[in-house]
Amino acid sequence: MKIEMNNFIKAIMESDLKEGKVKEIVTRFPPEPNAYLHIGHARAMVTNFALAETFNGKTNLRFDDTNPAKEDASFVDAIIKDIEWLGFKPDNVFYGSDYFEETFEKALLLIRKSLAYVCDLNALETSKYRGTLSTPGINSPYRDRSVEENLELFMNMRKGLYKPGERVLRAKIDMASSNINMRDPVLYRILDIPHHKTSNEWVIYPMYDFAHPLQDAFEGITHSLCSLEYDNHRPLYDWVVANCETKHTPKQIEFGRLSITNTIMSKRYLKQLVESKLVTGYDDPRMPTLVGLRRRGYTKDAIINFIIETGLSRTNATVERDMLDHFLREDLKLKTNRIMGIKEPLKVTLTNYADDKVEYLEINNNSEALELGSRKIAFSKHLYIEKEDFLLEKPNKHFKRLALNLEVRLFGAYFIKCNDVVYNKSGEIVELLCTYDPLTKSNSGFDGRKPNGTIHFCEATTSKKAKFNEFDSLLNEAATEEENLDIISRFNKDSWKVYNGFIEDKKYEIEEKFQLIRDGYYTVDKTSTDEEVVLNKIVSLKSSFK
Ligand code: ATP
Ligand code: MG
């Protein structure tokens, strides 16, 4: 799939190519394997892959795995699957940990150039010495160690002679810089934690700000695209590249992060939801993770179109969730069959229909997309309609459904008229006694009279048992990602509703999508069995946006 994107980064790439600054566009998507990807990541992913593709360039998938404390191989596999699902093919799959040795060599180079030193200040002291936005920092007392001493101490760090936190390697830049990131940032710290790829080989790990620019340089990345919060890390990025004497000079470009109304994306909150068991897992259909959206039935095309349509600029933007829904409806409208399901069934008995007969009526799969063909639906004396499609008395002229002594069309079948109702002991209506008119068969050209509307139905003896899952926002009030959001108390307990009913008889494949007539778009959930089809509502037919 060729994705058309027009934005300021494309313009930069275009001019860099034209001016001969780069020969080929090379980008990378660098997820940290410490969580599942979410819809926000899709912006970074689509941007990196689509822009490189536009210029026939390359995109590497690079796992940014330099912090073993939080990373895990299971996330690596999940991320690879998500990227495949969205339809992107990385030209290479690399790991930050592939470069541990080269990165270490570059640290030695900086020490030899007197641009890095081993510092013995503890974390508290380090932050005190660092100063604040309004006051300059103070030089560490260890800043002027000799090259020889630094080399020896750094080698000892690698050998595991010190405890975590005892010593770090820092860049020697400028403790008075107005950019706090430039005040002798830490390059390496000691972590006595096994790594998912290098196991116990290393006890020192490079910091993101040191490792990332080097990885970009080693891979020949031309445009290193990242979200806006790295803006004030760019001087350090450039310092690392310039002083480490790499063959290649990558360029960092920042873009705004994507937020969506009523959608929490922060890894911390998603983790809390999973760990507190308020959701069923990362692939809970209410989650904004790509696995969650996929299970909910969201399509890759809708997600990609949404990402493109939200545009890209150098400001963080919040987009209405309704916009994503719009692209789902657009994507599913002409691609899916329209079938009939009954969520809250009410029995209908046709008193003038033969007892043991089941007839099959031909109907189009999608009246707006005839190329999707047709199918046969069952019809007999025993039917189900939606409870809410019947009232004893027609309340007003807008009620286009069934009522006592009124006639409606059953979609794709006949007109039926309700003549009587059956009550149970508690006084609820449990069955409608109706008659059908054989002359009114669908497509027979009958135009003798107009029914009071058209409703849908399921034939009772052949239809399958179905469970309908309907979802709402995970959080109660319109929530933004404010600091310390109390996610547990804001959790919307009504965010997953279940209805039991029936659906047309056919074979249902997991992840298959269709429209349920007069209701919305649905997908078949992985928990479906032969006895019961489990359906997830993707989105309603019409926008409920007020
Ligand atoms: P962390 O706080 O752990 O770094 P992260 O959200 O940045 O979290 P990464 O795995 O590092 O997660 O993200 C991979 C890439 O996706 C990064 O380039 C990041 O900038 C980008 N990204 C993540 N969330 C968004 C978002 N909401 N909008 C745009 N880009 C995003
Ligand atoms: Mg990150």
Side-chain angles (χ1 to χ4, degrees):
M1 179 179 40
K2 197 92 179 166
I3 299 170
E4 283 281 340
M5 264 191 147
N6 271 312
N7 53 50
F8 74 103
I9 300 178
K10 183 183 172 191
I12 293 173
M13 290 174 166
E14 216 154 36
S15 93
D16 285 352
L17 280 169
K18 209 151 135 204
E19 290 169 25
K21 284 190 192 155
V22 299
K23 285 198 193 66
E24 184 190 28
I25 301 295
V26 187
T27 63
R28 86 287 169 267
F29 175 59
E32 190 176 355
N34 64 355
Y36 282 76
L37 297 183
H38 54 60
I39 178 106
H41 289 114
R43 166 176 279 187
M45 209 191 308
V46 173
T47 305
N48 277 295
F49 279 97
L51 287 179
E53 160 125 41
T54 301
F55 299 103
N56 293 313
K58 291 199 173 67
T59 303
N60 295 343
L61 166 60
R62 185 199 311 138
F63 288 102
D64 167 23
D65 61 348
T66 52
N67 182 5
K70 291 193 232 148
E71 294 152 9
D72 189 317
S74 71
F75 293 121
V76 168
D77 299 337
I79 289 171
I80 288 177
K81 272 200 201 143
D82 284 341
I83 295 173
E84 257 173 32
W85 177 61
L86 282 186
F88 297 116
K89 283 191 196 65
D91 291 276
N92 298 289
V93 179
F94 293 130
Y95 293 80
S97 54
D98 295 340
Y99 312 107
F100 278 167
E101 196 62 54
E102 286 109 306
T103 307
F104 179 78
E105 290 296 326
K106 293 299 182 189
L108 293 178
L109 174 68
L110 290 181
I111 295 175
R112 277 190 227 106
K113 291 166 82 173
S114 277
L115 290 173
Y117 61 97
V118 173
C119 182
D120 303 359
L121 293 178
N122 64 32
L124 198 71
E125 290 163 335
T126 306
S127 88
K128 249 208 275 171
Y129 275 72
R130 184 166 290 130
T132 65
L133 281 174
S134 51
T135 53
I138 306 163
N139 284 354
S140 157
Y142 306 98
R143 202 174 197 257
D144 296 319
R145 277 177 160 151
S146 69
V147 169
E148 288 66 35
E149 192 186 357
N150 278 318
L151 284 174
E152 188 187 332
L153 290 173
F154 189 49
M155 287 309 288
N156 287 344
M157 277 172 67
R158 178 175 182 171
K159 284 183 200 149
L161 300 190
Y162 314 123
K163 283 194 282 297
E166 218 176 300
R167 291 197 157 98
V168 293
L169 183 74
R170 295 176 70 174
K172 194 189 284 186
I173 309 181
D174 178 8
M175 288 306 290
S177 172
S178 58
N179 182 338
I180 293 186
N181 293 314
M182 298 298 271
R183 294 183 189 171
D184 291 10
V186 174
L187 303 179
Y188 264 91
R189 78 275 205 216
I190 300 169
L191 283 179
D192 201 0
I193 303 172
H195 186 277
H196 75 110
K197 278 189 78 85
T198 57
S199 182
N200 294 312
E201 198 184 326
W202 293 88
V203 291
I204 54 170
Y205 290 92
M207 301 299 288
Y208 174 89
D209 280 334
F210 185 50
H212 203 86
L214 288 176
Q215 295 158 4
D216 285 344
F218 297 150
E219 290 179 14
I221 303 301
T222 54
H223 299 79
S224 177
L225 314 182
C226 62
S227 39
L228 207 53
E229 72 273 21
Y230 292 103
D231 181 46
N232 57 10
H233 293 241
R234 184 159 19 99
L236 179 53
Y237 183 101
D238 291 339
W239 184 93
V240 170
V241 172
N243 289 294
C244 287
E245 301 172 17
T246 56
K247 284 195 212 93
H248 171 81
T249 306
K251 173 154 101 177
Q252 175 179 303
I253 303 171
E254 309 85 24
F255 56 80
R257 278 178 97 88
L258 171 69
S259 304
I260 303 176
T261 53
N262 269 330
T263 307
I264 288 299
M265 286 186 222
S266 161
K267 284 174 183 174
R268 181 162 60 114
Y269 294 134
L270 298 183
K271 196 162 173 233
Q272 266 185 45
L273 287 169
V274 172
E275 282 173 359
S276 62
K277 300 216 156 49
L278 285 172
V279 297
T280 57
Y282 281 99
D283 74 344
D284 186 296
R286 294 164 295 180
M287 293 282 271
T289 50
L290 294 178
V291 279
L293 296 175
R294 178 176 179 178
R295 185 166 166 207
R296 167 85 173 259
Y298 281 38
T299 63
K300 70 181 183 71
D301 287 353
I303 292 173
I304 290 173
N305 290 334
F306 166 74
I307 295 293
I308 294 170
E309 207 53 39
T310 55
L312 195 70
S313 73
R314 275 198 47 111
T315 43
N316 294 330
T318 302
V319 181
E320 292 289 336
R321 178 80 183 224
D322 205 54
M323 186 166 161
L324 182 52
D325 292 347
H326 162 79
F327 284 104
L328 277 165
R329 292 189 194 96
E330 284 293 296
D331 188 31
L332 294 166
K333 190 172 160 192
L334 301 178
K335 285 189 195 162
T336 51
N337 287 352
R338 299 177 177 181
I339 71 174
M340 294 197 267
I342 299 294
K343 264 185 193 162
E344 292 194 280
L346 176 60
K347 240 165 101 173
V348 169
T349 305
L350 302 181
T351 52
N352 63 340
Y353 198 92
D355 276 348
D356 297 320
K357 183 176 156 188
V358 178
E359 71 176 297
Y360 285 87
L361 304 160
E362 178 108 14
I363 76 170
N364 287 323
N365 285 329
N366 183 329
S367 53
E368 289 178 273
L370 296 178
E371 65 278 12
L372 293 182
S374 63
R375 68 180 184 284
K376 295 228 158 80
I377 53 163
F379 187 82
S380 81
K381 185 183 183 88
H382 304 287
L383 310 170
Y384 293 119
I385 64 165
E386 294 281 358
K387 253 191 195 124
E388 61 169 39
D389 279 340
F390 178 79
L391 281 181
L392 263 183
E393 243 178 278
K394 178 170 173 164
N396 56 46
K397 66 177 191 316
H398 303 294
F399 183 77
K400 295 288 179 206
R401 309 176 202 184
L402 190 59
L404 192 60
N405 300 319
L406 271 185
E407 195 176 42
V408 291
R409 182 202 312 275
L410 291 183
F411 186 85
Y414 300 91
F415 290 10
I416 63 165
K417 185 177 172 197
C418 180
N419 307 304
D420 206 354
V421 298
V422 179
Y423 293 92
N424 66 8
K425 281 197 197 100
S426 354
E428 295 157 337
I429 296 171
V430 289
E431 187 181 348
L432 307 181
L433 301 178
C434 302
T435 44
Y436 89 113
D437 180 352
L439 292 178
T440 59
K441 188 170 171 177
S442 179
N443 288 323
S444 66
F446 176 82
D447 66 351
R449 54 187 190 273
K450 261 180 92 90
N452 187 51
T454 301
I455 64 172
H456 62 284
F457 71 99
C458 272
E459 196 281 324
T461 61
T462 56
S463 60
K464 287 200 162 170
K465 256 178 81 176
K467 190 158 103 181
F468 303 87
N469 292 323
E470 260 191 51
F471 309 105
D472 202 346
S473 172
L474 270 173
L475 300 187
N476 264 321
E477 304 146 61
T480 50
E481 308 227 348
E482 56 207 65
E483 287 287 319
N484 297 321
L485 183 65
D486 183 358
I487 200 130
I488 308 289
S489 71
R490 296 273 288 273
F491 179 75
N492 176 8
K493 291 189 191 69
D494 297 321
S495 52
W496 187 329
K497 292 203 182 87
V498 179
Y499 300 90
N500 290 298
F502 298 93
I503 191 162
E504 274 181 41
D505 178 39
K506 70 173 209 79
K507 188 159 169 38
Y508 291 92
E509 307 284 351
I510 291 174
E511 288 199 14
E512 178 185 341
K513 292 164 186 61
F514 40 78
Q515 182 189 118
L516 283 185
I517 287 170
R518 299 174 67 220
D519 180 348
Y521 295 97
Y522 282 80
T523 192
V524 181
D525 191 63
K526 63 176 185 183
T527 58
S528 282
T529 61
D530 288 342
E531 285 72 47
E532 184 183 56
V533 191
V534 180
L535 300 168
N536 295 333
K537 184 164 183 171
I538 307 169
V539 65
S540 57
L541 283 184
K542 294 237 172 60
S543 165
S544 56
F545 191 56
K546 284 160 212 112

